[in-house]
Amino acid sequence: MSAKAGASPKRRPLISGNWKMNLTHLQAIQFIQQLSYALEAADYEHVDVSVHPPYTCLRALQTLLDADRIPISLGAQNCHQQDAGAFTGEVSAAMLSALDVRYVIVGHSERRELFAESDAIVAAKLKAVLAGNMAPILAVGETIEERQQGDTQAKIARQLDSALGDLSKQLPLSSQGNASRENLVVAYEPIWAIGTGRSATPQDAEEVCGFIRSQLAELFDAKTADKIRIQYGGSVKPVSIADLMAQPNIDGALVGGASIEVADFARIVRYRLEG
Ligand code: PGA
């Protein structure tokens, strides 16, 4: 399939860099300066770009992006579900929102596994992000065992239902801010593909992303499902991005390892030139 076909023209692609626990605020400033040199104004016409650094980088990057008018959105990797209080070490949605954070990843498999975030916690975090007028990037995905046992769809349906099930009636389709159904983002991240160098094939990724869209149509309605961006994540690299983006239900990528290499991340953002 032609790499130029790209995601549906109905949805603007979103390429997000999940830095995980990497880069100090000084390294982050240097990274964004280099990335902004590597990208051209025309690149941003086709694609939205977000970076999700550690919390300690957010203020420095907010200032830099604003001062240099760099059209990259600021993202976070997590937030706490409560508004405020005695939660030592945690950061609230309101604190992120005050730093102009636009997107917050919720339910990343590393949070679910290493920090024991249950579906119920993920659902509460997603609501907190929306209450802070930010757009959640809800991460879902199966383990290799679940895939081998044919449980991929059941697992993902459960994760989507738990996180989005009771939003369907409250949330407007669109709004001036970021908290709307059309600004929700879902990231399909098969756990076996994260950090392993073993990406899902474009066909396998498309199959699950298509399933996610059909579930979104059931949870919300077809019009909403048509608007929501679905990213693929898991060992995305410059060599694999074009074929992934050529799939009709893949509207972007959530990139880990390759997002902290300036040249690689720039090539992923400019996926139209790859392949
Ligand atoms: P990876 O990470 O690109 O290093 O596989 C993706 C992610 O965890 O979001």
Side-chain angles (χ1 to χ4, degrees):
M1 194 183 266
S2 158
K4 299 261 185 305
S8 163
K10 284 179 282 192
R11 296 180 291 272
R12 223 178 122 73
L14 172 63
I15 305 288
S16 303
N18 174 12
W19 293 6
K20 309 192 180 183
M21 197 171 72
N22 293 292
L23 307 192
T24 65
H25 74 288
L26 298 173
Q27 292 168 324
I29 290 169
Q30 210 176 31
F31 180 95
I32 293 297
Q33 282 169 335
Q34 289 172 356
L35 181 64
S36 77
Y37 288 127
L39 296 175
E40 291 168 16
D43 295 326
Y44 303 106
E45 285 169 20
H46 306 287
V47 59
D48 289 338
V49 182
S50 67
V51 291
H52 301 246
Y55 294 137
T56 47
C57 304
L58 287 173
R59 175 62 178 155
L61 293 191
Q62 177 201 24
T63 308
L64 173 65
L65 295 173
D66 185 46
D68 289 2
R69 295 174 196 275
I70 300 169
I72 293 175
S73 296
L74 208 46
Q77 302 171 18
N78 179 35
C79 76
H80 197 264
Q81 60 272 31
Q82 299 290 336
D83 292 342
F87 301 102
T88 301
E90 292 295 326
V91 167
S92 74
M95 293 169 188
L96 298 177
S97 188
L99 288 163
D100 294 337
V101 166
R102 181 162 178 185
Y103 300 99
V104 184
I105 302 169
V106 289
H108 190 283
S109 61
E110 287 155 15
R111 301 287 325 167
R112 293 181 192 258
E113 279 177 25
L114 303 175
F115 300 95
E117 286 188 8
S118 63
D119 282 344
I121 292 174
V122 171
K125 289 190 176 199
L126 190 128
K127 288 201 180 73
V129 170
L130 290 169
N133 199 21
M134 297 175 289
I137 298 180
L138 170 66
V140 298
E142 80 287 2
T143 63
I144 193 66
E145 294 78 20
E146 287 163 339
R147 171 160 283 261
Q148 284 162 352
Q149 285 159 18
D151 290 339
T152 301
Q153 293 195 350
K155 164 87 173 287
I156 287 171
R158 193 193 79 221
Q159 289 180 321
L160 290 171
D161 186 47
S162 153
L164 303 175
D166 33 294
L167 287 182
S168 46
K169 290 185 189 66
Q170 310 150 18
L171 202 60
L173 175 62
S174 57
S175 81
Q176 296 285 75
N178 298 312
S180 65
R181 275 182 272 151
E182 68 181 15
N183 282 323
L184 292 171
V185 181
V186 177
Y188 168 52
E189 295 210 309
I191 295 167
W192 47 270
I194 295 176
T196 58
R198 182 181 160 205
S199 172
T201 64
Q203 293 70 30
D204 285 346
E206 167 61 18
E207 192 185 325
V208 179
C209 291
F211 171 73
I212 290 172
R213 202 171 304 286
S214 72
Q215 291 300 108
L216 293 172
E218 300 222 335
L219 287 168
F220 298 105
D221 52 66
K223 193 172 165 196
T224 299
D226 214 34
K227 297 253 182 203
I228 294 178
R229 292 180 290 189
I230 302 176
Q231 297 177 313
Y232 166 78
S235 298
V236 172
K237 303 283 180 244
V239 291
S240 56
I241 185 69
D243 287 342
L244 288 162
M245 292 301 292
Q247 305 302 316
N249 283 295
I250 298 180
D251 309 312
L254 183 54
V255 186
S259 78
I260 52 170
E261 301 294 333
V262 173
D264 283 355
F265 192 61
R267 283 175 64 190
I268 290 171
V269 169
R270 309 178 86 188
Y271 66 88
R272 282 177 169 72
L273 308 177
E274 296 289 328

